[in-house]
Amino acid sequence: MILEVAILNIKEGLLADFETNFKTAEAIISSMKGYISHQLKKCIEEDNKYILLVNWEKLEDHEIGFRKSEAYQEWKSLLHHFYDPFPVVEHYV
């Protein structure tokens, strides 16, 4: 199992819209091959910061299966405009 970790810094004033869009985006990621589970946690110390944790069966399920899919384009259009700066995504075993 691989754990994907991303720190998400959301632009000021867009938290409610981000959370609404993320609820839609959850259905996209959870339908992908190799997806196991995910958690989105809001930071206590910094109001505009979240951590996204996604468990995948294999690294390729995320890097190729998800990121190279049509579904990723929808994920991207729902979420990517909220980030500043764009998140660094790391993978852990």
Side-chain angles (χ1 to χ4, degrees):
M1 183 171 72
I2 299 296
L3 175 64
E4 169 197 353
V5 177
I7 304 294
L8 310 176
N9 291 290
I10 308 304
K11 294 175 184 172
E12 197 69 35
L14 298 178
L15 297 181
D17 291 339
F18 168 74
E19 290 180 1
T20 297
N21 281 22
F22 192 84
K23 286 185 172 106
T24 301
E26 286 179 306
I28 296 169
I29 200 167
S30 64
S31 71
M32 299 306 299
K33 179 185 178 296
Y35 165 89
I36 296 171
S37 65
H38 74 276
Q39 292 182 307
L40 179 70
K41 300 289 187 178
K42 193 170 190 321
C43 182
I44 293 170
E45 291 81 12
E46 294 183 52
D47 192 48
N48 69 322
K49 185 185 276 189
Y50 296 76
I51 188 168
L52 175 61
L53 307 170
V54 185
N55 288 297
W56 297 95
E57 290 178 15
K58 301 180 298 193
L59 180 61
E60 296 79 15
D61 292 328
H62 176 233
E63 291 289 295
I64 297 168
F66 179 53
R67 284 198 172 161
K68 301 215 183 281
S69 70
E70 282 188 35
Y72 180 73
Q73 297 308 310
E74 186 178 353
W75 169 275
K76 188 174 163 178
S77 71
L78 282 167
L79 299 176
H80 284 195
H81 62 282
F82 290 110
Y83 308 141
D84 185 28
F86 195 79
V88 173
V89 176
E90 298 178 313
H91 300 91
Y92 296 82
V93 292

